[in-house]
Amino acid sequence: MPNAIFMKTKAAILSLCALAVVAPRLEARENSLSGGGSITYEMYDKSGGESAENTGGEVEEAAAPQAALSSDDDDDYSRIIISPVLTIKSIGDKNAVSLSYSPVLQYGDDSDGDIQQVVSITADWSPTSRWALSFRDSYQETDTDLDNVNMAGFTPQPATVQGGQGRGSGQSEQGASVSQSSSDSQLTDSPGRQKYSTNDFEIAATYTYWEDSSLKFGYGLEQLRYDNLIGSNQDYDKNTIFANIKHRLNSQYSLAAEARYAMGTFDDAAPIPVTDAVAPLAEGDAALSQPDDNSYSPAASSDVDELHFSTSLESLVIPHHPLSLTYTLDTSKYDDEGQGDTQIHALLFGWTWEMSEKSTFTFSIGPSYQKNDGDEGDSWDYALNAAYSRRWSAAGDIVFSAAHGAEMRNFSGNANDNGMTEYWRGGVNINQALSQNLALNLMATAADEDVSQSASITERELEDDLAAGGASNTRQYTLGGGLSYNFARWYALGLNYSYTTQDGDLPEDNYDEHRLMLVLSMQRDFFHW
């Protein structure tokens, strides 16, 4: 399946290259070729994260390759990553096209000469003053260790430097937007890292029908493919149709609404052999009460349909104190009858205090209601989002944030991480220019998550049995910092360090992680025509 994604991307690249050649003959355009790249030295050390086989549970040999996925005990490596980048842009009076390509070469840690592809395409067209069309497609192959996601929504990486690259995806939840990694991927020779590819596609149209009023609709496709589908990993296709409207009622009130419907189809790894260490599904189930070497737990479908709806009314009646009232609904409907469908409702009252031109404080709070057709039943809680930002100079700022709420996580890429998730997340990020060429970045995050697992029979159920499980709690703390130095006009040197410690109810959720990255990068325009 990764080849299929790459062929589609290759066809799109050829089409846009042809457009870039033909378009200049049709209208006056400005074209440019820029490039650069980076050389990264990465050191990584991780200790902890025992697998089920180290907890005293009896897992038969046939299940060992799957259990080994979660065994990251004393994992460490160092490597060099070379990432050249080429970007072609073509800009016309009413449209713009951009194509970027980066082959990523890795050396060290049994990865000598491995090449991974990163391709991105963007196109925008405004046929009239009211209509705007956009196209986005991004394809990436990587083996980044995303098994240990920064739960607070911060992605530790080197301070911004020219030519640097980072990867992340967005996920919205009850009034807050956080970045979250897709998940881990396909197995390599080194424990704790797996290879995978992602493809994110979106096409959208926006119609501006009034001042500060517009309608947007479109289609999106997210794809995840592991090179080696093992354990609780999941390949998936997520097809999404969406629409949103922003309408200014008058000078003091505005209304916004969004609807999004997603259809997710999954491919799971081979089912796990049933052993004497695993209890039968139900009393009297003869097929499972007497397991043998060829018996497997049934593989339930992970396919899901998601619906998101939100509407918000904003008031500017009080100067420098905008108010809002927001309602959100998120539903998940599963093909597997053994997993209860879910609904999450939230009603948030929001307040923003524009303290000055440099300082802003936002706060929203309200009740939330979680409905689960399964064994967990219904529950009431509250949702909260708070943030404070201050910019004390043109090159210095600080941001605090905190959030509490619930979300239904279906597309983590790993069945172990899916489920109804109640969370606390918070963090602080500081940026400061120490001189004209030297910049500093510091960050600290904390997160606490309770994940109620699916009712499906998966590897997670085996792990929960071995760990005396149920709903699992995980706590994660991260500290990080980075320096970047720009020199010789086109070059930058970045140094980044991050430390993460995590503990949870399951053995594989307990680990300490150190990551150090030294990045030399370059970015410049080659020529225009």
Side-chain angles (χ1 to χ4, degrees):
M1 281 186 280
N3 291 333
I5 300 177
F6 182 72
M7 291 304 295
K8 293 179 181 178
T9 306
K10 183 178 180 181
I13 293 173
L14 294 176
S15 299
L16 284 177
C17 288
L19 176 61
V21 172
V22 175
R25 302 178 182 178
L26 304 179
E27 60 175 89
R29 305 184 66 84
E30 179 182 353
N31 305 297
S32 65
L33 174 64
S34 61
S38 63
I39 301 176
T40 302
Y41 177 70
E42 179 185 17
M43 295 179 61
Y44 176 83
D45 177 80
K46 178 181 176 184
S47 59
E50 293 181 277
S51 67
E53 58 187 344
N54 296 325
T55 64
E58 297 179 5
V59 182
E60 71 177 40
E61 293 180 0
Q66 296 167 330
L69 275 176
S70 58
S71 177
D72 294 315
D73 192 29
D74 297 326
D75 178 30
D76 61 87
Y77 64 84
S78 61
R79 59 179 176 174
I80 295 175
I81 304 171
I82 302 174
S83 307
V85 180
L86 280 178
T87 301
I88 300 175
K89 294 182 179 180
S90 180
I91 302 174
D93 294 336
K94 296 183 178 181
N95 58 72
V97 179
S98 176
L99 168 64
S100 179
Y101 173 69
S102 174
V104 181
L105 294 81
Q106 301 178 5
Y107 295 92
D109 194 39
D110 298 325
S111 300
D112 292 347
D114 287 357
I115 299 179
Q116 298 171 344
Q117 316 288 333
V118 180
V119 183
S120 64
I121 306 167
T122 64
D124 297 283
W125 180 36
S126 300
T128 69
S129 60
R130 294 185 178 273
W131 280 98
L133 306 177
S134 64
F135 170 90
R136 304 284 185 273
D137 194 17
S138 176
Y139 173 81
Q140 181 179 34
E141 300 171 350
T142 184
D143 69 346
T144 302
D145 181 13
L146 296 180
D147 188 28
N148 310 312
V149 177
N150 184 283
M151 296 177 180
F154 290 76
T155 303
Q157 53 186 299
T160 303
V161 293
Q162 297 180 9
Q165 295 188 17
R167 178 185 178 275
S169 61
Q171 182 175 352
S172 62
E173 52 214 42
Q174 301 177 2
S177 179
V178 300
S179 65
Q180 192 145 26
S181 305
S182 293
S183 180
D184 42 17
S185 53
Q186 130 207 30
L187 195 63
T188 67
D189 296 332
S190 303
R193 296 204 319 278
Q194 300 170 287
K195 292 180 181 178
Y196 62 94
S197 60
T198 61
N199 188 56
D200 296 325
F201 168 86
E202 180 183 288
I203 185 168
T206 302
Y207 177 68
T208 303
Y209 59 88
W210 193 254
E211 183 180 0
D212 298 327
S213 300
S214 62
L215 171 66
K216 181 178 180 179
F217 54 91
Y219 164 79
L221 171 64
E222 298 179 21
Q223 296 176 299
L224 171 66
R225 296 291 186 271
Y226 291 93
D227 287 4
N228 193 7
L229 193 60
I230 293 180
S232 55
N233 291 345
Q234 293 179 314
D235 291 345
Y236 68 75
D237 289 344
K238 182 180 181 182
N239 293 271
T240 305
I241 54 175
F242 59 89
N244 63 64
I245 185 171
K246 298 178 181 179
H247 181 71
R248 184 172 68 88
L249 301 173
N250 53 45
S251 61
Q252 295 182 328
Y253 290 94
S254 61
L255 179 68
E258 178 186 14
R260 186 171 63 249
Y261 181 71
M263 297 161 285
T265 57
F266 294 80
D267 288 332
D268 294 276
I272 301 172
V274 175
T275 72
D276 292 334
V278 183
L281 290 177
E283 294 183 4
D285 192 334
L288 292 178
S289 60
Q290 300 294 330
D292 54 44
D293 291 341
N294 296 320
S295 62
Y296 286 82
S297 58
S301 171
S302 300
D303 293 355
V304 61
D305 291 345
E306 288 186 341
L307 174 65
H308 167 84
F309 173 78
S310 65
T311 182
S312 178
L313 177 65
E314 183 175 357
S315 168
L316 302 177
V317 173
I318 307 175
H320 307 294
H321 294 273
L323 303 176
S324 65
L325 184 64
T326 303
Y327 167 75
T328 63
L329 167 65
D330 290 281
T331 70
S332 298
K333 183 176 178 59
Y334 300 92
D335 283 1
D336 176 19
E337 297 180 356
Q339 182 171 2
D341 298 338
T342 64
Q343 297 180 14
I344 302 177
H345 303 256
L347 182 65
L348 298 178
F349 174 77
W351 167 55
T352 297
W353 181 13
E354 298 172 350
M355 306 169 68
S356 67
E357 293 182 356
K358 297 181 178 181
S359 301
T360 303
F361 174 74
T362 60
F363 181 80
S364 62
I365 191 171
S368 68
Y369 173 69
Q370 295 95 46
K371 177 179 174 60
N372 192 316
D373 293 342
D375 297 334
E376 298 168 25
D378 307 341
S379 63
W380 284 90
D381 199 352
Y382 69 95
L384 177 150
N385 298 286
Y388 170 78
S389 63
R390 175 172 174 77
R391 177 174 292 276
W392 52 74
S393 68
D397 63 80
I398 186 171
V399 177
F400 294 93
S401 66
H404 170 67
E407 63 184 357
M408 191 63 201
R409 187 180 299 161
N410 295 311
F411 294 93
S412 70
N414 191 314
N416 286 2
D417 298 323
N418 290 342
M420 177 72 77
T421 303
E422 297 183 10
Y423 60 84
W424 270 103
R425 298 167 183 157
V428 56
N429 192 81
I430 301 173
N431 296 286
Q432 176 62 53
L434 304 179
S435 69
Q436 183 177 356
N437 297 323
L438 184 63
L440 171 69
N441 170 266
L442 298 172
M443 56 87 72
T445 69
D448 187 300
E449 291 189 350
D450 287 301
V451 181
S452 300
Q453 299 300 326
S454 160
S456 303
I457 306 302
T458 65
E459 181 185 9
R460 186 60 165 206
E461 187 162 311
L462 172 61
E463 295 176 345
D464 287 348
D465 286 341
L466 296 175
S472 61
N473 174 261
T474 305
R475 298 160 298 282
Q476 184 187 87
Y477 307 92
T478 299
L479 290 173
L483 283 169
S484 66
Y485 178 70
N486 298 300
F487 62 97
R489 188 177 179 183
W490 298 301
Y491 297 89
L493 183 65
L495 176 66
N496 179 78
Y497 169 77
S498 65
Y499 168 72
T500 299
T501 181
Q502 179 173 298
D503 61 276
D505 294 340
L506 298 176
E508 65 268 24
D509 289 337
N510 297 274
Y511 65 86
D512 292 315
E513 174 188 273
H514 302 264
R515 189 186 300 269
L516 180 68
M517 299 178 68
L518 180 64
V519 184
L520 174 64
S521 61
M522 185 273 285
Q523 179 71 38
R524 63 165 297 176
D525 289 338
F526 293 133
F527 55 88
H528 295 256
W529 72 94

